[in-house]
Amino acid sequence: MEPPAPVQEEKDAFGVPSGNPLAKVWALCNQPGTPTLNPRFAPDCGRAVPENALEKNFYKILRQLSTLSQSWLDMEASAAQARDEADAAAAAARAETDNAEAPSQSDQAEPVDAPIEETAKAEPSLVSDQAETDDKPEGTAIQETVPPAPLDVDEMAQVLVSGDGMVVWMLLLPPSGNGRRLSVADGEALLRDANVTVGIDQDALQAIFDNKTYFCLCPVAWGTPPICGKDGWTEDHFQRNFVRGMGNTDTGTVDYRAQSNVQAISKDAVICDIYPPVEGIAGLRVDGVAVPPPPVKEAAVPAGSNTVLSEDGTKLLAGIDGFLEFRGNLFEVKNLLNITSDVDYSTGNIDFRGDVTIRGDVREQFSVKATGNITIDGLVEAATVEAGGDVVISNGVSGNGQAVIRGNHVRAKYVENSTVFADTLEADYILSSRISCTDSILASGSRGAIIGGEVIAAKNIKASRVGSQSGSPTEIILGVQPKLREELNANRKQLMNIRTESSELVKRVAYLKNRMERSRPDERSIKKIQAAELRLSQLAEDGASLLSCQRMLMEQLNGLAHCRLESSLVYPGVRLTIGGASQNIEAAINKCVAVFDAEEHNIKFV
């Protein structure tokens, strides 16, 4: 038996149980160490066997190799028995030969020249044998006892295919005696018998039979594993776990008031992009059977309330204005923001598309802005509150001259030292504030007073008391739309600028023309005159347009028929203006109703 090639211990070798037939073959072949299934990679094959391939198929491989090893052991046992029998027969034959050639003591005592007859009598068997031989006819073979030839065990090989059909190993067992050596052709035949038709590495197969690598699992064929596809996925444009941001000022300091408490979002804004799954590529087993890739899944679209898919299904959009939250693995857009505390450093400024409810106060220097309604259960300090809808302030506004409130209909318990821009205002009392309403102002309630400041309404002002006994200066203006008045003032400033520029251009053109009359005309002066005249033409068109707009604004501002001031008591110190007429109240007026007399163009008390 040839000495087996030494087995190199490797980190991914797997031990074989001591009672297994393969372990017995290992021991009979004088392999060093403990029996292992030791995978060996073909040199320079450029391929790798998955790390867990042997681990997954260990017991299957061990069972197949046990059958092969038992066959080897059975043949080796038969060969050993035959060898023992042959050795015994050979020993017996040698003993008989030795006995036949050795002379007896009596023969040695006889004289050499004894008569032939006596010699023949002493060896009757020999004579008889010779006589029998001489009596046999020619051509008859002499029968002799020949011991049987010893049995030999050929090399054995086993093809082992992994359970998934992606890896094929071959294991070679050594021959015994003069057993036949296997060739590459034998290996190819074994692969065909195992239905291995794809991915055979001829170099690896050749190396097995050239190097006689016994007891090692040598990979000889590889399948092509399928390439996994990719499930559909989404890419978010907004944070799922929202972290409040901070606004940095130009000086590099952090403005904690500018922190964003929520993720504001506009209708039709893209919440996330949705990508379809990518199909995988099929693989091929060593027996030529295709292996489909794992199935892929559609993207899990996090569509919650008030969200919609785009027409092509590739985007998740906000269905309404509001703020975005991620709850229960879904994006939701809400149009009601509920602040359960004060608006202060814990919340930062609020800027929201939708309605806002604040359970506490709005602290100084903070702002609340919303496209919908704003409801404040507490009070507003020197802060800014701007709503696209209505503003309701349960405890009033104490503005310290800095608060600004904007909304359609503003309702507050009181307004002190603040500025309000609204369509209508309703409050218990108004103190030292600047109020501009495009419709009406109502100071109702237990006090119902308007004291100090400037109060402007396009139509009506109604209060229990206007002014105070101390004569606090109070300006009441009716019949002037605040926005229209601002537009009119801007219009007048533009007209004044046009007239000033036109006057300067006229003077410049006259100067250039006079200079050209006194001296020779030059190209440069001509171009200046042409540019100035073109500019004058443009200014004339702009001025005409502004005058037309001014007339329209004046017509709107002159709609004074429905303007009226109603108050149970108007104190001295009040200046009342309706349209273009003004009057200072010098004596208290009870049950005052003031209107505009269109005929007299003056204020009339009725």
Side-chain angles (χ1 to χ4, degrees):
M1 181 185 301
E2 288 187 359
V7 178
Q8 180 182 358
E9 294 292 337
E10 297 186 14
K11 63 180 182 180
D12 50 358
F14 290 82
V16 178
S18 58
N20 190 276
L22 182 59
K24 295 178 182 179
V25 177
W26 180 287
L28 287 174
C29 294
N30 298 321
Q31 289 292 301
T34 57
T36 57
L37 285 180
N38 198 355
R40 175 169 296 176
F41 298 94
D44 301 326
C45 66
R47 304 189 190 186
V49 176
E51 294 181 359
N52 59 349
L54 181 58
E55 181 179 359
K56 289 182 177 179
N57 296 272
F58 176 73
Y59 291 106
K60 174 187 173 183
I61 290 173
L62 192 60
R63 285 194 299 270
Q64 295 180 20
L65 293 181
S66 297
T67 302
L68 177 70
S69 301
Q70 189 61 54
S71 298
W72 192 96
L73 290 172
D74 292 343
M75 295 185 67
E76 174 61 23
S78 298
Q81 182 179 356
R83 284 193 294 269
D84 291 342
E85 292 176 354
D87 291 344
R94 285 195 299 272
E96 290 179 1
T97 302
D98 292 343
N99 291 335
E101 292 177 354
S104 63
Q105 294 180 357
S106 58
D107 293 339
Q108 294 177 0
E110 293 181 355
V112 177
D113 53 354
I116 295 175
E117 294 81 0
E118 295 179 359
T119 303
K121 292 178 181 179
E123 299 176 357
S125 60
L126 183 59
V127 174
S128 61
D129 292 342
Q130 183 65 38
E132 292 176 1
T133 303
D134 293 340
D135 293 341
K136 289 182 178 181
E138 292 183 9
T140 301
I142 301 174
Q143 299 293 325
E144 296 182 357
T145 302
V146 179
L151 296 177
D152 296 316
V153 180
D154 297 338
E155 274 184 346
M156 292 185 180
Q158 179 73 46
V159 172
L160 304 157
V161 182
S162 64
D164 58 4
M166 288 296 166
V167 184
V168 178
W169 294 276
M170 184 173 287
L171 184 134
L172 199 63
L173 292 181
S176 178
N178 294 320
R180 185 175 74 88
R181 271 57 173 173
L182 298 179
S183 65
V184 174
D186 296 317
E188 292 174 342
L190 288 171
L191 290 173
R192 287 194 298 272
D193 293 341
N195 294 322
V196 178
T197 59
V198 175
I200 300 172
D201 190 324
Q202 291 294 334
D203 292 339
L205 187 64
Q206 185 73 44
I208 292 173
F209 295 100
D210 288 348
N211 301 331
K212 300 301 180 184
T213 308
Y214 301 124
F215 295 100
C216 281
L217 290 171
C218 299
V220 293
W222 288 265
T224 302
I227 298 176
C228 295
K230 185 176 182 181
D231 291 341
W233 72 99
T234 61
E235 288 185 1
D236 298 339
H237 289 219
F238 290 83
Q239 298 179 31
R240 297 195 175 194
N241 298 317
F242 178 65
V243 179
R244 292 172 55 186
M246 296 184 181
N248 292 330
T249 65
D250 295 337
T251 60
T253 59
V254 177
D255 183 3
Y256 290 95
R257 289 185 297 271
Q259 298 178 91
S260 178
N261 190 52
V262 295
Q263 293 190 101
I265 191 169
S266 303
K267 182 181 178 182
D268 296 330
V270 178
I271 299 173
C272 64
D273 293 317
I274 304 168
Y275 293 92
V278 179
E279 295 292 338
I281 301 174
L284 195 65
R285 297 191 327 196
V286 293
D287 57 0
V289 176
V291 181
V296 293
K297 300 177 181 178
E298 295 290 335
V301 181
S305 60
N306 297 319
T307 62
V308 294
L309 287 176
S310 60
E311 291 183 0
D312 58 4
T314 61
K315 299 180 186 300
L316 182 65
L317 309 176
I320 59 173
D321 291 338
F323 71 98
L324 190 66
E325 284 189 340
F326 187 78
R327 289 186 179 181
N329 295 324
L330 300 176
F331 280 111
E332 297 180 346
V333 180
K334 298 182 178 180
N335 60 355
L336 174 60
L337 176 61
N338 189 12
I339 305 296
T340 58
S341 62
D342 294 343
V343 175
D344 53 16
Y345 289 105
S346 66
T347 63
N349 295 331
I350 305 298
D351 190 351
F352 179 63
R353 292 183 173 272
D355 298 337
V356 176
T357 298
I358 299 168
R359 302 301 180 188
D361 303 331
V362 180
R363 296 299 183 183
E364 183 178 352
Q365 300 302 315
F366 285 89
S367 68
V368 178
K369 298 179 181 180
T371 59
N373 301 325
I374 298 176
T375 302
I376 301 170
D377 292 348
L379 60 85
V380 176
E381 297 179 354
T384 300
V385 177
E386 297 183 9
D390 300 338
V391 177
V392 178
I393 305 170
S394 298
N395 288 344
V397 184
S398 182
N400 194 27
Q402 299 179 26
V404 178
I405 312 296
R406 293 179 184 270
N408 294 336
H409 177 71
V410 176
R411 186 169 70 250
K413 186 174 182 179
Y414 60 86
V415 177
E416 291 183 359
N417 297 297
S418 303
T419 299
V420 177
F421 299 96
D423 292 336
T424 59
L425 170 63
E426 183 179 351
D428 186 9
Y429 67 90
I430 301 170
L431 178 62
S432 300
S433 297
R434 182 174 179 266
I435 311 297
S436 292
C437 291
T438 59
D439 195 297
S440 58
I441 298 171
L442 175 62
S444 60
S446 59
R447 299 182 63 177
I450 300 176
I451 303 172
E454 180 184 70
V455 179
I456 302 172
K459 294 181 180 179
N460 303 318
I461 296 177
K462 186 176 182 179
S464 298
R465 291 181 296 127
V466 177
S468 65
Q469 291 181 346
S470 61
S472 300
T474 305
E475 187 84 13
I476 303 295
I477 301 174
L478 283 165
V480 176
Q481 294 272 9
K483 292 181 180 178
L484 293 178
R485 189 175 66 172
E486 291 176 2
E487 291 181 20
L488 184 59
N489 289 335
N491 182 288
R492 288 170 176 169
K493 288 181 180 179
Q494 289 178 352
L495 275 173
M496 186 177 295
N497 292 335
I498 286 175
R499 289 167 181 167
T500 301
E501 185 178 356
S502 297
S503 176
E504 293 295 330
L505 286 172
V506 169
K507 292 179 181 179
R508 183 169 183 79
V509 169
Y511 168 76
L512 291 171
K513 288 182 176 180
N514 290 334
R515 191 178 69 176
M516 290 176 62
E517 289 176 356
R518 293 193 302 269
S519 61
R520 182 178 179 181
D522 61 282
E523 187 70 22
R524 185 176 179 183
S525 297
I526 293 173
K527 288 183 177 180
K528 286 183 178 181
I529 292 171
Q530 291 175 346
E533 290 177 343
L534 178 62
R535 178 59 181 161
L536 280 170
S537 177
Q538 293 175 347
L539 290 174
E541 291 179 2
D542 294 342
S545 176
L546 287 171
L547 284 172
S548 176
C549 181
Q550 190 178 94
R551 284 192 295 269
M552 293 176 61
L553 292 173
M554 289 298 298
E555 289 176 1
Q556 296 180 47
L557 290 174
N558 289 332
L560 306 176
H562 302 289
C563 294
R564 106 193 253 120
L565 169 66
E566 296 184 28
S567 178
S568 299
L569 179 61
V570 176
Y571 287 101
V574 173
R575 179 177 174 81
L576 176 60
T577 299
I578 303 178
S582 298
Q583 183 173 337
N584 293 322
I585 307 301
E586 297 179 354
I589 302 175
N590 293 315
K591 297 181 180 180
C592 174
V593 177
V595 296
F596 183 76
D597 189 340
E599 294 181 357
E600 298 293 334
H601 294 282
N602 204 350
I603 297 172
K604 181 171 68 173
F605 295 93
V606 297

